[in-house]
Amino acid sequence: MTYQFSDRVPESDEDPVGNILKVAGSPDVISFAGGLPAPELFPVAELKRVTDEVYDESGRQALQYSTAIGYPQLREQIVKRMAHQGVKTTIDNIMISTGSQQSIDLTAKMFVNPGDTVIVEKPTYLCALDVFRSYGAHIVGVDMDENGMKIDQLEKAVAENPNTKFIYTIPNFQNPTGRTMSADRRERMIEIADNYDIMIVEDDPYGAIRFAGDDIEPIKFYDDHERVIYLSTFSKILAPGLRLGWIVAEKSLIKKFTLMKQSADVHSDNLTQHIVAKFMSEYDIDDHIDKIKQVYRKRERVMMNAIEAFFPKNVHYSHPEGGLFIWVEVPGDVDTKALFDTCIKHNVAFVPGEPFYPDAVTPGTFRLNYSNMSEDHIKTGIKRLGDAIKETISESVSSVSRN
Ligand SMILES: Cc1ncc(COP(=O)(O)O)c(C=O)c1O
């Protein structure tokens, strides 16, 4: 049989990131490659308790089909969480999704025709790039610095691409760089979107996990014209296996999202929505998030100290104030693939920068995760990584001098 795939299906079956994670998963390798939360922090006993209560009190309702927009009690809880962040909203502005990944997919499905422009940070979340590509988007990357997307470059990109549908941004502790967009850039981004009448998709899975510095209001906070679609998720603040996220947007947009979601998966798991709503009504989720922050803060400090001790001094790296990732830039024309291979020989792994770039790749870049690793492993792994970087740099210098 010759399968006649649609244009959305990638031609190649290659899964470079999957292959990296497979190699990194070998038991001898200390892997900073995945982006997994620490499983020892999942509130298993509490979730078990409230699950029993849901079965006892409303088992039949929770196991029944439900509405695409989501369980009202859970949306009520999210209204309260958003208020904490300075965003006033109502349950009619919120739809529950099957994780932020689905929110990104539904957003692209709803707005992107082949050839439409989507503007993203460079680098950005690789699975969002996959989604935008699958809908035939023309993806334009805008460089970042320590304060997020470079706003002058953003304005130029918007001006040069009149068919821009939206700017996709991860303003807090970005995946993959760990960087956070400053408040003034958030305001400037809104101004640009207002001037050119385009939308902003604000993807915020990590914002609640701030362990240093001061909170910054979401871009949605500055949004007077209902042009920001705000996405978040329970994946990093509770557990990713629950597969629950949410979208905050203007009411008429939520109605459209609801229709799109109905045809995608009818609704997100109703039982899980009841369980999470119950958890949030019986426990203070902010207490739970505080525990996550404390552990991640310690792991990030241990990783940072080890980087300072073991990496060559000319290597640059981001200084996250929250989230899960540090971004590393090895100067010179270092082949990240060769560096990865050397690291595997040293039994340590990361995700090379390449898949995070929509277009030209900055060589020598890679992402490190610190949330999913003991402090001892972090110290040992970063020492190995420092040795591998030194080895790769000296090999590339000697091959340049030979040529
Ligand atoms: C920036 C970003 N957006 C969305 C997601 C997807 O999250 P979820 O588990 O809610 O689908 C991730 C997951 O790592 C992410 O890093």
Side-chain angles (χ1 to χ4, degrees), residues 99-101 104 125 168 170 175 203 205-206 233 235-236 243:
S100 281
Q101 191 61 35
I104 298 168
Y125 175 48
Y168 169 78
I170 308 158
N175 184 0
D203 187 11
Y206 305 106
T233 174
S235 287
K236 305 300 184 312
R243 307 306 307 132

Side-chain angles (χ1 to χ4, degrees), residues 265-278:
D265 66 350
V266 186
H267 57 76
S268 295
D269 184 325
N270 195 26
L271 174 63
T272 314
Q273 292 186 63
H274 277 70
I275 292 168
V276 173
K278 190 86 173 160

